[in-house]
């Protein structure tokens, strides 16, 4: 009878007989980078007061506050919370924090990827990481759909990795730091950057009408007429609109069609109201007014009013857009005709104001 050969646990682990120069350089660089990060964190420790000041300044900006929360549907309910965008910004403000997402292995035969999300506080040596399997599938109402396109697989892995990264970052940050940031972002959304409430309501209505959501559906969701909306209602609509844009929820999830009751179906039709007698048409004046004559004689579109240009400039400043973003936006509005605010027509200026995000 042949006995198995015992394993010698004292023997050295087999390693490649030859390591390339590029591999050796990369190994040395990785070790030196970790050592340098620890040394710098010990020599330059964070200032909690400065970190809190930086966090407050960031959360007071609408650009971050509007992306600080997420919403998505699950099991007939809506799940909401702080987003990965807020987590990354808080890691930057806290300082001496490293984080990332790694794809450890991709198996196209079985249709899955092995991923790792991690966050590391270099100063306190607090580290959080999670390794997980991401199937190359996308959930749909009719069942999961297999992904074969490389871009779809990449986006699916990035989406799943971002969720784990968010929790990894929040797990190494102080809870009071995270909670204060969420409360401050919520207040920033409620105040709307100092814009009057009626103006924000009009902006919200126009924004949702562009994606096919009527005022009736907005009122049904909030449970009150638009004249009674508050800053909290607008804040809820802002988060909902951002989530729809990112594909986290659908319009049907957030604004389901109104159900027709049995009483409404069986109710007798309302009596028809007799139409009033049509009035006799007024005789057209022999000579049109001077203003109408001038409009016919001068078909050129009127230039934008100074009030419209001032309104556009104020809105661009509120949004914090760069000159390149403004030029691109105006070129899109005018169909490539001009990017100068002074060359806009009154109709183009009105369209540019209406299409701005609220």
């Amino acid at each position: 009878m042949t006995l198995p050969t015992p394993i010698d646990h004292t023997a050295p682990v087999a390693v490649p007989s030859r390591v390339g120069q590029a591999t050796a350089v990369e190994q040395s660089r990785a070790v030196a980078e970790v050592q340098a990060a620890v040394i710098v964190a010990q020599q330059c420790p964070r200032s909690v007061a400065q970190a809190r000041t930086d966090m407050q300044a960031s959360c007071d900006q609408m650009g971050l506050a509007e992306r600080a929360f997420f919403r998505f549907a699950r099991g007939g309910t809506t799940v909401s919370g702080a987003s990965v965008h807020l987590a990354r910004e808080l890691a930057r403000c806290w300082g001496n924090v490293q984080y990332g997402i790694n794809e450890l292995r991709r198996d196209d035969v079985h249709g899955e990827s092995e991923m790792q999300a991690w966050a590391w506080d270099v100063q306190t040596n607090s580290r959080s990481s999670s390794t997980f399997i991401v199937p190359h599938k996308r959930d749909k109402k009719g069942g999961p759909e297999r992904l074969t396109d490389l871009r779809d697989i990449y986006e699916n892995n990035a989406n799943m990795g971002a969720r784990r990264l968010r929790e990894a970052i929040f797990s190494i940050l102080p809870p009071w730091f995270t909670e204060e940031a969420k409360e401050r972002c919520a207040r920033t959304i409620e105040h709307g950057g100092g814009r009057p409430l009626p103006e924000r309501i009009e902006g919200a209505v126009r924004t949702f009408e562009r994606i096919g959501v009527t005022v009736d559906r907005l009122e049904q969701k909030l449970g009150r007429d638009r004249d009674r909306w508050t800053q909290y209602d607008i804040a809820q609509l802002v988060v909902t609109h951002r989530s729809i844009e990112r594909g986290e929820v659908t319009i049907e999830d957030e604004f389901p069609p109104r159900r027709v009751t049995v009483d409404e179906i069986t109710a007798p039709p309302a009596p028809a109201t007799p139409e009033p007698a049509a009035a006799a048409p007024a005789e057209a004046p022999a000579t049109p007014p001077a203003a109408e004559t001038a409009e016919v004689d001068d078909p050129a579109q009127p230039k934008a009013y100074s009030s419209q240009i001032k309104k556009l400039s104020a809105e661009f400043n509120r949004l914090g857009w760069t000159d390149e973003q403004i030029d691109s936006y105006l070129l899109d509005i005018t169909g490539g005709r001009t990017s100068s605010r002074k060359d806009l027509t009154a109709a183009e200026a009105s369209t540019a104001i209406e299409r701005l995000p609220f």
Side-chain angles (χ1 to χ4, degrees):
M1 177 177 181
T2 303
L3 298 177
T5 304
I7 299 175
D8 185 5
H9 296 282
T10 62
V13 179
V15 295
S17 59
R18 181 178 179 275
V19 177
Q21 182 179 3
T23 302
V25 170
E26 181 63 22
Q27 290 175 347
S28 301
R29 185 201 63 80
V31 174
E33 183 179 355
V34 173
Q35 292 176 345
V38 174
I39 293 174
V40 170
Q42 293 176 352
Q43 294 179 349
C44 304
R46 72 174 59 91
S47 170
V48 176
Q50 184 61 43
R52 185 180 183 185
T53 301
D54 294 342
M55 175 269 293
Q56 293 174 348
S58 295
C59 294
D60 287 342
Q61 303 300 318
M62 282 294 294
L64 173 64
E66 290 179 344
R67 305 175 64 192
F69 304 100
F70 68 87
R71 292 168 62 88
F72 63 89
R74 176 190 293 170
T77 61
T78 301
V79 181
S80 61
S83 68
V84 67
H85 305 289
L86 179 61
R88 288 170 176 158
E89 180 62 16
L90 294 185
R92 183 194 68 83
C93 296
W94 189 243
N96 291 336
V97 174
Q98 296 186 5
Y99 56 86
I101 306 172
N102 302 326
E103 184 177 9
L104 305 180
R105 183 180 61 88
R106 177 178 295 187
D107 188 347
D108 291 328
V109 176
H110 295 86
E112 61 183 22
S113 295
E114 185 178 358
M115 307 282 294
Q116 183 184 59
W118 57 275
W120 179 27
D121 188 333
V122 186
Q123 180 175 325
T124 62
N125 199 26
S126 174
R127 183 181 176 91
S128 174
S129 65
S130 62
T131 304
F132 51 96
I133 301 297
V134 179
H136 297 168
K137 296 180 180 180
R138 180 186 293 119
D139 290 332
K140 287 194 171 183
K141 292 184 178 180
E145 175 189 13
R146 179 74 178 268
L147 302 178
T148 57
D149 186 74
L150 294 180
R151 182 179 180 85
D152 292 339
I153 295 174
Y154 160 75
E155 292 178 349
N156 184 61
N157 290 349
N159 185 25
M160 296 299 178
R163 299 181 184 181
R164 271 75 171 189
L165 179 63
R166 176 189 66 216
E167 299 304 321
I169 294 176
F170 283 147
S171 66
I172 65 171
L173 293 177
W176 65 265
F177 191 73
T178 303
E179 292 302 321
E180 182 177 349
K182 291 192 290 186
E183 293 176 2
R184 203 168 187 97
C185 285
R187 288 200 301 268
T188 301
I189 296 176
E190 292 167 7
H191 296 158
R195 298 176 63 194
L197 182 59
E199 183 179 342
R200 297 182 63 204
I201 292 176
E202 291 297 328
V205 171
R206 291 197 302 267
T207 300
F208 276 97
E209 284 180 345
R210 286 198 292 268
I211 62 175
V213 180
T214 62
V215 179
D216 294 338
R217 298 175 72 178
L218 294 176
E219 293 176 342
Q220 177 184 348
K221 178 178 180 63
L222 298 177
R224 58 179 67 89
D225 297 336
R226 61 182 293 181
D227 297 335
R228 298 169 52 199
W229 290 354
T230 65
Q231 66 269 23
Y232 305 103
D233 298 327
I234 300 300
Q236 180 182 353
L237 293 179
V238 169
V239 176
T240 301
H241 183 262
R242 292 295 181 185
S243 298
I244 293 175
E245 284 186 331
R246 292 192 293 263
E248 297 168 349
V249 294
T250 63
I251 296 177
E252 290 73 18
D253 293 334
E254 292 293 327
F255 304 95
R258 188 176 69 89
R259 296 181 178 273
V260 181
T261 63
V262 177
D263 295 337
E264 292 175 342
I265 297 176
T266 58
T273 303
E275 297 181 359
E283 295 183 359
T287 304
E292 295 181 4
T293 304
E295 184 177 356
V296 173
D297 295 339
D298 185 14
Q301 294 290 334
K303 292 291 185 180
Y305 303 108
S306 58
S307 59
Q308 292 177 311
I309 297 177
K310 291 180 180 178
K311 175 67 174 176
L312 270 176
S313 301
E315 290 296 310
F316 291 150
N317 291 333
R318 176 184 64 83
L319 295 171
W321 283 4
T322 62
D323 293 339
E324 291 77 7
Q325 290 175 307
I326 295 174
D327 292 344
S328 176
Y329 180 73
L330 294 181
L331 286 173
D332 180 62
I333 292 295
T334 62
R337 184 179 63 83
T338 181
S339 62
S340 174
R341 278 165 266 188
K342 296 182 180 180
D343 294 338
L344 296 175
T345 65
E348 291 171 342
S350 177
T351 303
I353 294 173
E354 291 179 355
R355 292 187 180 180
L356 286 171
F358 61 93

